[in-house]
Amino acid sequence: MTMTLPIIKVCFFLFFCLIGMVSSQLSSTFYAKTCPNALSTISAAVKSAVNNEARMGASLLRLHFHDCFVQGCDASVLLDDTSSFTGEKTAFPNANSIRGFDVIDTIKSKVESLCPGVVSCADILAVAARDSVVALGGPSWTVQLGRRDSTTASLSSANSDLPAPTLDLSGLISSFSNKGFTTKEMVALSGGHTIGQARCTSFRTRIYNETNIDSSFAKSLQANCPSTGGDNKLSPLDTTSPTTFDNAYFKNLQSKKGLLHSDQQLFNGGSTDSQVNSYSSDASSFKTDFANAMIKMGNLSPLTGSSGQIRANCRKTN
């Protein structure tokens, strides 16, 4: 007995040490010594890309989101299909829709020339998302770093786990709850639709068939999105200030000017109406909550330590 107690104490001590190691594997200073110019290099490249095309800011933010909701933040979304491997790019929510891969390629090559084999594609996605929001006037946040890249992707998970633009409120709440987000955090993250554009195919049913939509808004959209054909014609998710990260998205919802069915569901007589009202009247609280929810999203099941790899090319495994 005299030997057992110290052993038990040591085991408990080691157990809590291991828990501490797991929770502290991501760090804001992860590259401080191994690649000190990584963050400034990513920032400059994102700024250049967004200056060249404002929509790219929303595209890079969306890439990070579509990465993290499938297998966690592991850059699986960036993997190209091969003869023996099907990635996530052809999943229904991604096909002909997610973009910005060339910008990530450019950033990766710049960072590789600085510090070969050090900075992961998953971390580049996380930092680029933050820098995109900042470039369009939104909030900044401290990105935790140290993710590694997956060697696998999941087409089926991309099809099942990414929230569709056709979801009702209960479906949205469930989709985000499955990833550990509260309803309030879901509303805040939805505010990312204050930038970017959507394809006609994703809102056609809404503008022709739904009644909880401003009639003049619907008519103006119909001029650009015919009832048949024109699937890839674009309209801004935020009709008021489509290239500025602000709280206009929520004001639009109050006026029944949500572009997607899923957008307007946030303000449609349900449990999230009050949160939309709150963000509509207080831009700073929205920006704070959005930044905090983005930090939480960036922490979804990262590969760390010896798991995964640091891809030399973000489109394929080493």
CSV table of all heavy atoms in Angstrom, one decimal, residues 30-31 73-76 79 108 112 117-123 146-152 302-318:
chain,number,residue,atom,x,y,z
A,30,PHE,N,3.7,30.6,-31.7
A,30,PHE,CA,4.2,29.4,-32.2
A,30,PHE,C,5.4,29.5,-33.2
A,30,PHE,O,6.3,28.8,-33.2
A,30,PHE,CB,3.1,28.6,-32.9
A,30,PHE,CG,3.4,27.1,-33.2
A,30,PHE,CD1,3.4,26.1,-32.2
A,30,PHE,CD2,3.8,26.7,-34.4
A,30,PHE,CE1,3.7,24.8,-32.4
A,30,PHE,CE2,4.2,25.4,-34.7
A,30,PHE,CZ,4.1,24.5,-33.7
A,31,TYR,N,5.3,30.5,-34.1
A,31,TYR,CA,6.3,30.7,-35.1
A,31,TYR,C,7.3,31.8,-34.7
A,31,TYR,O,8.1,32.2,-35.6
A,31,TYR,CB,5.7,31.0,-36.4
A,31,TYR,CG,4.8,29.9,-37.0
A,31,TYR,CD1,3.4,30.1,-37.1
A,31,TYR,CD2,5.3,28.7,-37.3
A,31,TYR,CE1,2.6,29.1,-37.6
A,31,TYR,CE2,4.5,27.6,-37.8
A,31,TYR,CZ,3.2,27.9,-37.9
A,31,TYR,OH,2.4,26.8,-38.4
A,73,CYS,N,-9.9,22.1,-38.2
A,73,CYS,CA,-9.1,23.0,-38.9
A,73,CYS,C,-7.7,22.3,-39.3
A,73,CYS,O,-6.7,22.5,-38.7
A,73,CYS,CB,-8.8,24.2,-38.1
A,73,CYS,SG,-10.3,25.0,-37.4
A,74,ASP,N,-7.8,21.6,-40.5
A,74,ASP,CA,-6.6,20.8,-40.8
A,74,ASP,C,-6.2,20.9,-42.3
A,74,ASP,O,-5.4,20.2,-42.8
A,74,ASP,CB,-6.9,19.3,-40.6
A,74,ASP,CG,-8.1,18.8,-41.4
A,74,ASP,OD1,-8.7,19.6,-42.1
A,74,ASP,OD2,-8.4,17.6,-41.2
A,75,ALA,N,-6.8,22.0,-43.0
A,75,ALA,CA,-6.5,22.2,-44.4
A,75,ALA,C,-6.9,21.1,-45.3
A,75,ALA,O,-6.5,21.0,-46.4
A,75,ALA,CB,-5.0,22.6,-44.6
A,76,SER,N,-7.9,20.3,-44.9
A,76,SER,CA,-8.4,19.2,-45.7
A,76,SER,C,-9.1,19.8,-46.9
A,76,SER,O,-9.1,19.2,-48.0
A,76,SER,CB,-9.3,18.2,-45.0
A,76,SER,OG,-10.4,18.9,-44.4
A,79,LEU,N,-7.1,20.1,-50.4
A,79,LEU,CA,-6.5,18.9,-51.1
A,79,LEU,C,-7.3,18.7,-52.4
A,79,LEU,O,-8.5,18.6,-52.5
A,79,LEU,CB,-6.6,17.7,-50.3
A,79,LEU,CG,-5.6,17.6,-49.1
A,79,LEU,CD1,-6.0,16.4,-48.2
A,79,LEU,CD2,-4.2,17.5,-49.5
A,108,LYS,N,1.6,30.4,-49.5
A,108,LYS,CA,2.3,29.2,-49.1
A,108,LYS,C,3.7,29.3,-49.7
A,108,LYS,O,4.8,29.0,-49.1
A,108,LYS,CB,1.6,28.0,-49.5
A,108,LYS,CG,2.4,26.7,-49.2
A,108,LYS,CD,2.6,26.5,-47.7
A,108,LYS,CE,3.2,25.1,-47.4
A,108,LYS,NZ,3.6,24.9,-46.0
A,112,GLU,N,7.1,29.4,-47.7
A,112,GLU,CA,8.1,28.3,-47.9
A,112,GLU,C,9.4,28.8,-48.2
A,112,GLU,O,10.4,28.3,-47.8
A,112,GLU,CB,7.6,27.4,-49.0
A,112,GLU,CG,6.5,26.4,-48.5
A,112,GLU,CD,7.0,25.4,-47.5
A,112,GLU,OE1,8.0,24.7,-47.7
A,112,GLU,OE2,6.4,25.3,-46.4
A,117,GLY,N,9.0,24.1,-44.8
A,117,GLY,CA,8.5,23.0,-44.0
A,117,GLY,C,8.2,23.4,-42.6
A,117,GLY,O,8.1,22.5,-41.7
A,118,VAL,N,7.9,24.7,-42.3
A,118,VAL,CA,7.6,25.1,-41.0
A,118,VAL,C,6.1,25.5,-40.8
A,118,VAL,O,5.5,25.1,-39.8
A,118,VAL,CB,8.5,26.3,-40.6
A,118,VAL,CG1,8.1,26.9,-39.2
A,118,VAL,CG2,10.0,25.9,-40.6
A,119,VAL,N,5.6,26.3,-41.7
A,119,VAL,CA,4.2,26.9,-41.5
A,119,VAL,C,3.2,26.0,-42.2
A,119,VAL,O,3.3,25.8,-43.4
A,119,VAL,CB,4.2,28.3,-41.9
A,119,VAL,CG1,2.8,28.9,-41.7
A,119,VAL,CG2,5.2,29.2,-41.2
A,120,SER,N,2.2,25.6,-41.5
A,120,SER,CA,1.2,24.7,-42.0
A,120,SER,C,0.2,25.5,-42.9
A,120,SER,O,-0.1,26.7,-42.7
A,120,SER,CB,0.4,24.0,-40.9
A,120,SER,OG,-0.4,24.9,-40.2
A,121,CYS,N,-0.4,24.8,-43.8
A,121,CYS,CA,-1.5,25.3,-44.6
A,121,CYS,C,-2.7,25.7,-43.8
A,121,CYS,O,-3.4,26.7,-44.0
A,121,CYS,CB,-1.9,24.4,-45.7
A,121,CYS,SG,-0.5,23.9,-46.8
A,122,ALA,N,-3.0,24.9,-42.8
A,122,ALA,CA,-4.1,25.1,-41.9
A,122,ALA,C,-3.9,26.4,-41.1
A,122,ALA,O,-4.9,27.2,-40.9
A,122,ALA,CB,-4.3,23.9,-40.9
A,123,ASP,N,-2.7,26.7,-40.7
A,123,ASP,CA,-2.5,28.0,-40.0
A,123,ASP,C,-2.6,29.1,-41.0
A,123,ASP,O,-3.1,30.2,-40.6
A,123,ASP,CB,-1.1,28.0,-39.4
A,123,ASP,CG,-1.1,27.3,-38.0
A,123,ASP,OD1,-2.1,27.1,-37.4
A,123,ASP,OD2,0.0,27.1,-37.4
A,146,GLY,N,-0.1,26.6,-34.7
A,146,GLY,CA,0.5,25.3,-34.4
A,146,GLY,C,-0.3,24.2,-34.9
A,146,GLY,O,0.0,23.0,-34.6
A,147,ARG,N,-1.3,24.5,-35.8
A,147,ARG,CA,-2.0,23.4,-36.4
A,147,ARG,C,-1.1,22.7,-37.4
A,147,ARG,O,-0.2,23.3,-38.0
A,147,ARG,CB,-3.2,24.0,-37.2
A,147,ARG,CG,-4.2,24.7,-36.4
A,147,ARG,CD,-5.2,25.5,-37.3
A,147,ARG,NE,-6.0,26.4,-36.5
A,147,ARG,CZ,-5.6,27.6,-36.0
A,147,ARG,NH1,-4.3,28.0,-36.4
A,147,ARG,NH2,-6.3,28.3,-35.3
A,148,ARG,N,-1.4,21.4,-37.7
A,148,ARG,CA,-0.7,20.7,-38.7
A,148,ARG,C,-1.8,20.3,-39.8
A,148,ARG,O,-3.0,20.4,-39.6
A,148,ARG,CB,0.0,19.5,-38.1
A,148,ARG,CG,1.3,20.0,-37.3
A,148,ARG,CD,1.9,18.9,-36.5
A,148,ARG,NE,2.4,17.8,-37.3
A,148,ARG,CZ,3.6,17.8,-37.9
A,148,ARG,NH1,4.4,18.9,-37.7
A,148,ARG,NH2,4.1,16.8,-38.5
A,149,ASP,N,-1.3,19.8,-40.9
A,149,ASP,CA,-2.1,19.6,-42.1
A,149,ASP,C,-2.5,18.1,-42.1
A,149,ASP,O,-1.7,17.2,-41.9
A,149,ASP,CB,-1.4,19.9,-43.4
A,149,ASP,CG,-1.1,21.4,-43.4
A,149,ASP,OD1,-1.9,22.2,-42.9
A,149,ASP,OD2,0.0,21.8,-44.0
A,150,SER,N,-3.7,17.8,-42.5
A,150,SER,CA,-4.2,16.4,-42.6
A,150,SER,C,-3.6,15.8,-43.9
A,150,SER,O,-3.3,16.4,-44.8
A,150,SER,CB,-5.7,16.4,-42.7
A,150,SER,OG,-6.2,16.9,-43.9
A,151,THR,N,-3.7,14.5,-43.9
A,151,THR,CA,-3.3,13.7,-45.1
A,151,THR,C,-4.5,13.1,-45.7
A,151,THR,O,-4.5,12.3,-46.6
A,151,THR,CB,-2.3,12.6,-44.7
A,151,THR,OG1,-2.8,11.8,-43.7
A,151,THR,CG2,-1.0,13.2,-44.2
A,152,THR,N,-5.7,13.4,-45.1
A,152,THR,CA,-7.0,12.9,-45.7
A,152,THR,C,-8.0,14.1,-45.8
A,152,THR,O,-7.8,15.1,-45.2
A,152,THR,CB,-7.6,11.9,-44.7
A,152,THR,OG1,-7.8,12.5,-43.4
A,152,THR,CG2,-6.6,10.7,-44.5
A,302,PRO,N,-7.9,20.7,-34.0
A,302,PRO,CA,-6.7,20.8,-34.8
A,302,PRO,C,-5.7,19.6,-34.6
A,302,PRO,O,-5.7,18.9,-33.6
A,302,PRO,CB,-6.0,22.1,-34.2
A,302,PRO,CG,-6.4,22.1,-32.8
A,302,PRO,CD,-7.8,21.5,-32.8
A,303,LEU,N,-5.0,19.3,-35.7
A,303,LEU,CA,-3.9,18.3,-35.6
A,303,LEU,C,-2.7,19.0,-35.0
A,303,LEU,O,-2.3,20.1,-35.5
A,303,LEU,CB,-3.6,17.7,-37.0
A,303,LEU,CG,-4.7,17.0,-37.6
A,303,LEU,CD1,-4.3,16.6,-39.1
A,303,LEU,CD2,-5.1,15.7,-36.9
A,304,THR,N,-2.1,18.5,-34.0
A,304,THR,CA,-0.9,19.1,-33.4
A,304,THR,C,0.1,18.1,-33.1
A,304,THR,O,-0.1,16.9,-33.2
A,304,THR,CB,-1.3,19.9,-32.1
A,304,THR,OG1,-1.9,18.9,-31.2
A,304,THR,CG2,-2.3,21.0,-32.3
A,305,GLY,N,1.3,18.5,-32.6
A,305,GLY,CA,2.3,17.6,-32.2
A,305,GLY,C,2.9,16.9,-33.4
A,305,GLY,O,3.3,17.4,-34.4
A,306,SER,N,2.8,15.5,-33.3
A,306,SER,CA,3.3,14.7,-34.4
A,306,SER,C,2.2,14.2,-35.3
A,306,SER,O,2.5,13.4,-36.2
A,306,SER,CB,4.0,13.5,-33.8
A,306,SER,OG,3.1,12.7,-33.0
A,307,SER,N,1.0,14.7,-35.1
A,307,SER,CA,-0.1,14.3,-36.0
A,307,SER,C,0.0,15.1,-37.3
A,307,SER,O,0.4,16.2,-37.3
A,307,SER,CB,-1.5,14.6,-35.3
A,307,SER,OG,-1.6,13.9,-34.1
A,308,GLY,N,-0.5,14.5,-38.4
A,308,GLY,CA,-0.5,15.2,-39.6
A,308,GLY,C,0.9,15.5,-40.1
A,308,GLY,O,1.8,14.8,-39.8
A,309,GLN,N,1.0,16.5,-41.0
A,309,GLN,CA,2.2,16.9,-41.5
A,309,GLN,C,2.2,18.4,-41.9
A,309,GLN,O,1.2,19.1,-41.7
A,309,GLN,CB,2.5,16.1,-42.8
A,309,GLN,CG,1.5,16.3,-43.9
A,309,GLN,CD,1.7,15.5,-45.2
A,309,GLN,OE1,1.3,15.9,-46.3
A,309,GLN,NE2,2.2,14.2,-45.0
A,310,ILE,N,3.3,19.0,-42.3
A,310,ILE,CA,3.4,20.3,-42.8
A,310,ILE,C,3.5,20.2,-44.3
A,310,ILE,O,4.6,19.8,-44.8
A,310,ILE,CB,4.6,21.1,-42.3
A,310,ILE,CG1,4.6,21.1,-40.7
A,310,ILE,CG2,4.5,22.6,-42.8
A,310,ILE,CD1,3.4,21.8,-40.1
A,311,ARG,N,2.4,20.3,-45.0
A,311,ARG,CA,2.4,20.1,-46.5
A,311,ARG,C,3.3,21.2,-47.2
A,311,ARG,O,3.3,22.4,-46.9
A,311,ARG,CB,1.0,20.3,-47.1
A,311,ARG,CG,0.2,19.1,-46.8
A,311,ARG,CD,-1.1,19.2,-47.6
A,311,ARG,NE,-2.3,18.8,-46.8
A,311,ARG,CZ,-3.4,19.4,-46.7
A,311,ARG,NH1,-3.7,20.5,-47.4
A,311,ARG,NH2,-4.4,19.0,-45.9
A,312,ALA,N,4.1,20.7,-48.1
A,312,ALA,CA,5.0,21.6,-48.9
A,312,ALA,C,4.1,22.3,-50.0
A,312,ALA,O,4.4,23.5,-50.3
A,312,ALA,CB,6.1,20.8,-49.6
A,313,ASN,N,3.1,21.6,-50.4
A,313,ASN,CA,2.1,22.1,-51.4
A,313,ASN,C,0.7,21.9,-50.8
A,313,ASN,O,0.4,20.8,-50.5
A,313,ASN,CB,2.3,21.4,-52.7
A,313,ASN,CG,1.3,21.8,-53.8
A,313,ASN,OD1,0.2,22.4,-53.5
A,313,ASN,ND2,1.6,21.6,-55.0
A,314,CYS,N,0.0,23.0,-50.6
A,314,CYS,CA,-1.3,22.9,-49.9
A,314,CYS,C,-2.3,22.0,-50.6
A,314,CYS,O,-3.2,21.5,-50.0
A,314,CYS,CB,-1.9,24.3,-49.6
A,314,CYS,SG,-0.9,25.3,-48.4
A,315,ARG,N,-2.1,21.8,-51.9
A,315,ARG,CA,-3.0,21.0,-52.7
A,315,ARG,C,-2.8,19.5,-52.6
A,315,ARG,O,-3.7,18.7,-53.1
A,315,ARG,CB,-3.0,21.5,-54.2
A,315,ARG,CG,-3.4,22.9,-54.4
A,315,ARG,CD,-3.2,23.3,-55.9
A,315,ARG,NE,-3.7,24.6,-56.1
A,315,ARG,CZ,-4.8,25.0,-56.6
A,315,ARG,NH1,-5.7,24.0,-56.9
A,315,ARG,NH2,-5.2,26.2,-56.8
A,316,LYS,N,-1.7,19.1,-52.1
A,316,LYS,CA,-1.4,17.6,-52.1
A,316,LYS,C,-0.6,17.3,-50.9
A,316,LYS,O,0.1,18.1,-50.3
A,316,LYS,CB,-0.7,17.2,-53.3
A,316,LYS,CG,0.6,17.9,-53.6
A,316,LYS,CD,1.1,17.4,-55.0
A,316,LYS,CE,2.5,18.0,-55.2
A,316,LYS,NZ,3.1,17.6,-56.5
A,317,THR,N,-0.7,16.0,-50.5
A,317,THR,CA,0.1,15.5,-49.3
A,317,THR,C,1.5,15.4,-49.7
A,317,THR,O,1.9,15.3,-50.9
A,317,THR,CB,-0.5,14.2,-48.8
A,317,THR,OG1,-0.4,13.2,-49.9
A,317,THR,CG2,-1.9,14.3,-48.3
A,318,ASN,N,2.4,15.4,-48.8
A,318,ASN,CA,3.9,15.3,-49.1
A,318,ASN,C,4.2,13.9,-49.6
A,318,ASN,O,3.5,12.9,-49.3
A,318,ASN,CB,4.7,15.5,-47.8
A,318,ASN,CG,4.5,16.9,-47.3
A,318,ASN,OD1,4.1,17.8,-48.1
A,318,ASN,ND2,4.9,17.2,-46.1
